[in-house]
Amino acid sequence: MKQFEKYIIHHILPILVVLPGILYPQDAGQLLKKAVQTGVSDLDSSNWYATRVLETALSSGNDTMAMKAQFILGKNLQMQGNLPEAVTVYKELIRHAPRGSDQEAYIQAYGRIGDCYTDLGRFDSSMVYLLRFDSLVNTHWSANKIDAKVLLGELYRAMGDMERSDAYKIEAIRRAERSGNEMEQTIALYYYLEDHRHEMHTERFQKYFSDYITLVSEDGRRNRNFSHATMFIEELPEDQKATILKHAIAEGQQYGHTNSLLVFHSALVHHYLDGGRYKEAIPHAENGLSLAQHAGDKLFESDFNRDLYHCHEGLQAYGQAIRYLRRHYEMKDSLETARLEKNLDELNIRYETAKKEQQISAQELALQKSRIQRRALFGGLAMIVWFGGFLVVYLWNRNRVNKKLALQESRISRQKIRELEQEKNLLAMSSMIEGQEAERKRIARDLHDGLGGLLSNVKAQLHAIETRVDALSSMDVYGKASDMVDQAS
């Protein structure tokens, strides 16, 4: 709620001032009534009162009062044509309403959101909210209320589906007839007739138009809106046009609709002029002239002076006619002069604006050039810093890599030296083993060859003993054989 309060203050009422003191609940109720009353003719004032009520309701925790104030704000924004902000306000109302709320403002908010979405062309979103609105109306209000049916009919008309649009609007007419609410009957009939102005010859249009005229014309009826009837002023029977317009003027005076009153008076004056009823036209032309002067509407003031000229000319009161004709042309010249001055002022404003825009463009161009130069300078410095940093990082990284490579190479060299030493040791051991093996072979060979020879000599000596027994005494066979055996051992 705090964010919504800030939103209201900063976006809807920029000229808002803080009132001294604290409003009491009864003050908020009075301000709410003023917000409703001023909403007819002065939406800005209505917004101001509604915002004051909202502030009080938020501070006191009065949800019902806050919802009513929010609804008025949303309705005013919608009437001012600010549909997106109106939707935002209505959604805030729904979001902060008590769960299961049956308050009129809460239920109407759904219909208002759907109506806004229809005007914005967001038909899917509109359908969602209007169907929800229809359900709430039937549940909490009455099955004979026409609100949702009329809005659904308008939605389908905007979508180009006139068959469904007519079905909903005819249902609204039937509901209004069942309820007996003449105001709702008038509204329901108006929406249907407005869609079928080009089909006035049809039986259904004639029936509904007859019912409509009866509602807005008969004396003694209450809660009618005669301003609707003026929309069909050309189609109204001649004998009823003046009556309808007089009722519309009385209604406009009651609610203070100045613009509507000017339109109604003008229409009634033209109706009397077309019928040559000049005397009856004069009072309404004079009233319209007085209203236009009071409202400061120069265009209507000029038109009513012209109408009064025609009235007095028709009555052959030429002196009065010339006076009003002179005023008409004076007003017309004044309007033309004002228009020319306005155009001249607009041209001057455009010239000054274009000149200022040119100056601003030149200043912006200079600033842009300066910004570009600064950006180029900062960009160059940044590039230098970046390149210097990159170079430092590159050299540092390269130095780190070189150290790493040198360390690896040193480790590899040491590893190679160890491997060579191991190979050398293995070679030395292999050579030693080979020498030892050769020595063993030599020894074995010597043992084999020397011992075999000795044993052969012993065998030979023994054989000599056998063959030369007779000569043993002269030969030292025993001694030689003993020496050989010792040598062999």
Side-chain angles (χ1 to χ4, degrees):
M1 272 310 219
K2 290 296 183 183
Q3 292 180 350
F4 174 70
E5 188 177 358
K6 291 180 180 178
Y7 170 82
I8 293 295
I9 293 171
H10 290 100
H11 292 85
I12 298 178
L13 300 172
I15 59 171
L16 195 63
V17 293
V18 179
L19 293 175
I22 301 174
L23 294 173
Y24 293 97
Q26 59 269 25
D27 296 327
Q30 292 298 321
L31 288 175
L32 189 64
K33 289 181 181 179
K34 290 183 179 179
V36 174
Q37 292 169 356
T38 55
V40 175
S41 57
D42 189 351
L43 294 177
D44 289 334
S45 296
S46 179
N47 286 337
W48 191 89
Y49 287 121
T51 304
R52 302 272 68 76
V53 175
L54 181 60
E55 290 175 348
T56 305
L58 290 173
S59 62
S60 63
N62 190 333
D63 293 332
T64 300
M65 188 71 73
M67 286 166 54
K68 290 179 179 179
Q70 285 173 316
F71 184 77
I72 292 172
L73 287 169
K75 180 170 64 69
N76 291 347
L77 286 168
Q78 187 176 357
M79 293 176 66
Q80 290 171 328
N82 197 341
L83 301 182
E85 288 193 19
V87 169
T88 300
V89 174
Y90 289 136
K91 286 185 176 180
E92 286 289 335
L93 187 160
I94 291 172
R95 185 159 42 247
H96 295 99
R99 185 179 297 275
S101 177
D102 60 351
Q103 294 290 324
E104 181 178 355
Y106 171 77
I107 297 173
Q108 284 279 19
Y110 280 95
R112 291 282 181 167
I113 292 173
D115 191 24
C116 290
Y117 278 142
T118 297
D119 292 339
L120 290 169
R122 295 178 57 180
F123 301 135
D124 290 340
S125 299
S126 177
M127 183 68 71
V128 171
Y129 280 94
L130 289 181
L131 289 176
R132 175 62 175 160
F133 178 49
D134 191 26
S135 174
L136 290 170
V137 168
N138 292 334
T139 302
H140 297 290
W141 287 358
S142 168
N144 290 328
K145 291 291 288 182
I146 70 168
D147 305 62
K149 301 304 179 186
V150 169
L151 291 179
L152 283 165
E154 286 292 282
L155 169 61
Y156 278 109
R157 183 182 66 80
M159 294 169 65
D161 190 343
M162 292 305 298
E163 184 176 352
R164 291 191 179 183
S165 175
D166 287 350
Y168 277 111
K169 289 178 181 178
I170 291 171
E171 174 61 22
I173 293 171
R174 290 171 180 168
R175 285 187 171 206
E177 289 174 349
R178 289 196 298 268
S179 69
N181 187 318
E182 293 178 0
M183 175 64 80
E184 290 195 347
Q185 289 180 54
T186 305
I187 294 171
L189 287 166
Y190 168 78
Y191 275 104
Y192 178 85
L193 294 172
E194 179 64 19
D195 287 345
H196 296 276
R197 296 174 71 106
H198 58 289
E199 298 174 352
M200 295 183 64
H201 61 281
T202 62
E203 183 179 352
R204 175 176 285 171
F205 185 94
Q206 289 298 324
K207 178 186 180 304
Y208 286 156
F209 188 68
S210 176
D211 294 342
Y212 181 81
I213 294 301
T214 300
L215 285 167
V216 300
S217 301
E218 288 187 2
D219 293 332
R221 293 188 179 271
R222 303 175 62 187
N223 298 325
R224 290 162 298 169
N225 189 340
F226 292 101
S227 62
H228 285 300
T230 61
M231 302 298 178
F232 300 102
I233 193 67
E234 296 302 323
E235 291 84 9
L236 292 171
E238 287 297 323
D239 60 339
Q240 294 183 1
K241 284 184 179 179
T243 302
I244 298 295
L245 286 169
K246 286 178 180 178
H247 282 305
I249 289 171
E251 186 178 83
Q253 289 173 339
Q254 180 182 356
Y255 292 105
H257 286 169
T258 302
N259 290 335
S260 298
L261 280 170
L262 290 170
V263 172
F264 299 154
H265 277 298
S266 179
L268 186 55
V269 169
H270 289 164
H271 169 68
Y272 284 138
L273 286 175
D274 292 341
R277 298 159 66 179
Y278 303 115
K279 285 186 178 180
E280 294 175 81
I282 288 176
H284 296 287
E286 290 175 344
N287 287 335
L289 178 61
S290 177
L291 275 172
Q293 290 172 340
H294 181 72
D297 193 320
K298 301 297 183 183
L299 186 59
F300 266 111
E301 187 177 346
S302 173
D303 290 344
F304 282 119
N305 274 301
R306 181 195 59 205
D307 294 338
L308 285 166
Y309 154 72
H310 287 302
C311 290
H312 289 287
E313 183 189 34
L315 295 172
Q316 297 182 356
Y318 298 115
Q320 290 279 44
I322 292 172
R323 184 164 59 88
Y324 283 114
L325 184 62
R326 185 181 295 114
R327 288 180 183 175
H328 165 66
Y329 280 116
E330 287 175 356
M331 292 297 304
K332 189 175 180 181
D333 291 341
S334 175
L335 287 170
E336 184 65 20
T337 302
R339 186 182 66 81
L340 291 174
E341 289 178 351
K342 182 180 179 182
N343 291 340
L344 183 60
D345 290 339
E346 288 179 353
L347 287 173
N348 285 330
I349 290 171
R350 289 178 185 175
Y351 171 73
E352 293 296 333
T353 302
K355 188 175 178 181
K356 289 179 180 178
E357 287 179 352
Q358 187 176 6
Q359 293 175 350
I360 291 170
S361 297
Q363 292 174 354
E364 287 181 349
L365 186 62
L367 289 172
Q368 187 175 5
K369 185 177 179 181
S370 176
R371 284 197 295 268
I372 291 172
Q373 290 176 346
R374 285 199 300 270
R375 287 175 184 172
L377 178 62
F378 291 143
L381 291 173
M383 284 294 295
I384 292 172
V385 172
W386 178 84
F387 182 75
F390 173 79
L391 186 62
V392 169
V393 171
Y394 171 75
L395 293 175
W396 175 80
N397 191 52
R398 183 176 178 184
N399 184 47
R400 184 173 61 83
V401 170
N402 288 338
K403 287 182 178 179
K404 197 179 214 181
L405 289 174
L407 182 61
Q408 290 178 349
E409 288 177 357
S410 175
R411 290 175 179 172
I412 292 170
S413 297
R414 289 197 297 271
Q415 183 69 22
K416 286 183 178 179
I417 291 171
R418 284 196 296 269
E419 289 177 355
L420 289 173
E421 288 178 350
Q422 289 176 355
E423 288 179 1
K424 181 180 177 182
N425 291 334
L426 288 173
L427 183 59
M429 290 178 66
S430 178
S431 299
M432 183 179 67
I433 291 170
E434 287 178 358
Q436 290 176 349
E437 192 66 29
E439 184 65 20
R440 291 191 188 96
K441 289 180 179 180
R442 184 186 63 76
I443 292 171
R445 187 174 57 253
D446 289 347
L447 287 172
H448 177 272
D449 293 345
L451 186 58
L454 289 174
L455 292 174
S456 296
N457 285 331
V458 171
K459 186 177 180 181
Q461 293 294 328
L462 292 174
H463 181 70
I465 293 172
E466 182 182 2
T467 59
R468 295 178 183 180
V469 174
D470 294 339
L472 282 174
S473 58
S474 60
M475 298 174 60
D476 190 8
V477 177
Y478 175 78
K480 290 180 179 180
S482 179
D483 293 336
M484 289 179 186
V485 172
D486 290 338
Q487 189 177 356
S489 298

